[in-house]
Amino acid sequence: MKSVALRIADKRMLRLIGAFLKAGVMENGLVGPVDEGTPQGGPLSPLLSNLVLDELDRELERRGHRFVRYADDCNIYVRSGGAGRRVMRSVTCFITRRLKLKVNESKSAVARPAERKFLGFSISGGRTPTRRIAPKALLRCKRKIRELTRRTRGISLERMARELTSYLRGWKSYFGICETPSVLKSMDQWIRRRLRSVIQKQRKRRSSWRMANSPDRNIAFPIAYFDSLGLPRLFDG
C-alpha cells in the first residue's frame, strides 16, 4: 500500500484497494481470510504487480539487461548459462531483499528460450527462431474443445457451434500470431472431425469418430458447411 500511495493521492481509491486486499476469498461457499497477497486471478493482481515491479524494471534497465515482463511473469535474456545463473542469483536477491517479495522457485529456471514458455508461447530453436504455441497451451485448448464438443451433451449442432465459435474467436485473437501455421491447420482439421463425429452420433451411426474422417463424410460436410455455421478457421491461408 505504501507503493500504491506514492502514485495515488485519492484516499477513496486507496481505501478501495485496501478493502480488496482484506476481502478474503470464497471457497466451497465459505469466505476465508487472505493473509498476504491478492487472490489468484483477481483483477487487482496485475495492476499491483505493475506498480510494485516497476522498480524491478528500472533496476534491470540500469544493469543493461534485455528482458520482457508481463505482470509478475518475467524473462531475462543473457548470452550464456553461467551469466544466467549469476543474474538469477542477483535478481532474486534484489526481489527478496529490496522489494520484500517471494520468488516462485518451482517456476524459475535458467534455460534456453526454446525450453521455456512465456504467456502461452515458446520460441523454437535453430538459426531462424519462430514463435510457437507452448505445448501446455495447446493441451488446454484441446481439453476445452473436447468439453464443448462432447457427443453426449444433448444439444443441437447449431448451439454447439455457437459456443465453440465464441471460444475459438478469443483463442485465435490471442494465439493467431504464432509462426507455425501447420499447427493451426492441424487444429482446424481435428475440430471439424470432432463436429462430423457429433453429427454421426446424432444420426445414431456407429464408429462415429472413425467414420467422421471418411471421404464421404468430408464430401457431405466440407469446410464450407462449417463456415456456414459461423465456425472460424484458425488458419486463414
Side-chain angles (χ1 to χ4, degrees):
M1 287 304 299
K2 290 180 181 178
S3 298
V4 176
L6 292 175
R7 294 172 176 267
I8 299 175
D10 189 333
K11 292 184 179 181
R12 294 172 301 173
M13 180 61 70
L14 293 174
R15 284 196 297 269
L16 179 61
I17 293 175
F20 264 111
L21 292 174
K22 298 173 184 177
V25 295
M26 180 175 288
E27 292 182 320
N28 300 321
L30 299 175
V31 177
V34 174
D35 297 325
E36 60 182 359
T38 59
Q40 181 72 24
L44 191 62
S45 182
L47 171 65
L48 295 184
S49 291
N50 285 332
L51 283 173
V52 175
L53 295 177
D54 181 63
E55 191 171 350
L56 173 63
D57 294 345
R58 295 178 184 275
E59 177 66 15
L60 295 177
E61 290 173 352
R62 187 186 66 79
R63 298 184 186 187
H65 288 313
R66 295 174 181 266
F67 70 97
V68 57
R69 181 180 67 80
Y70 182 85
D72 63 346
D73 199 353
C74 183
N75 281 4
I76 304 172
Y77 302 98
V78 294
R79 293 184 179 276
S80 67
R85 287 184 286 273
R86 288 193 300 272
V87 169
M88 187 170 180
R89 284 194 299 269
S90 64
V91 171
T92 298
C93 183
F94 177 84
I95 292 173
T96 55
R97 295 183 180 180
R98 178 68 175 273
L99 302 183
K100 309 299 182 184
L101 298 173
K102 296 178 182 178
V103 175
N104 190 332
E105 296 184 1
S106 65
K107 293 184 178 180
S108 303
V110 175
R112 295 182 178 275
E115 299 170 5
R116 303 293 290 172
K117 64 180 181 66
F118 183 70
L119 303 179
F121 288 94
S122 61
I123 304 296
S124 68
R127 301 187 64 178
T128 307
T130 56
R131 184 172 53 248
R132 63 185 181 185
I133 304 170
K136 286 186 177 180
L138 277 175
L139 287 176
R140 284 195 299 270
C141 177
K142 285 194 170 185
R143 190 181 305 122
K144 181 64 175 179
I145 292 172
R146 286 191 181 97
E147 178 185 325
L148 292 173
T149 59
R150 197 171 62 247
R151 287 172 289 176
T152 56
R153 289 190 66 195
I155 62 175
S156 67
L157 181 67
E158 290 73 19
R159 177 181 169 185
M160 185 178 291
R162 286 196 301 270
E163 294 178 2
L164 186 59
T165 294
S166 178
Y167 173 73
L168 290 178
R169 281 178 177 164
W171 191 89
K172 181 182 177 181
S173 68
Y174 185 84
F175 287 104
I177 63 171
C178 75
E179 297 173 322
T180 50
S182 60
V183 172
L184 299 181
K185 288 181 181 179
S186 177
M187 286 287 288
D188 273 335
Q189 293 169 356
W190 179 74
I191 291 169
R192 288 193 291 268
R193 184 176 179 182
R194 285 197 65 84
L195 291 176
R196 292 188 184 104
S197 179
V198 170
I199 296 171
Q200 292 287 116
K201 179 70 174 181
Q202 291 179 346
R203 295 185 177 186
K204 310 297 184 182
R205 302 286 183 86
R206 295 183 177 181
S207 304
S208 54
W209 176 249
R210 180 177 60 83
M211 289 293 295
N213 202 37
S214 63
D216 64 321
R217 293 296 91 189
N218 281 274
I219 294 173
F221 303 102
I223 296 176
Y225 173 75
F226 297 105
D227 289 343
S228 69
L229 294 176
L231 196 71
R233 302 187 195 185
L234 300 180
F235 178 70
D236 298 317

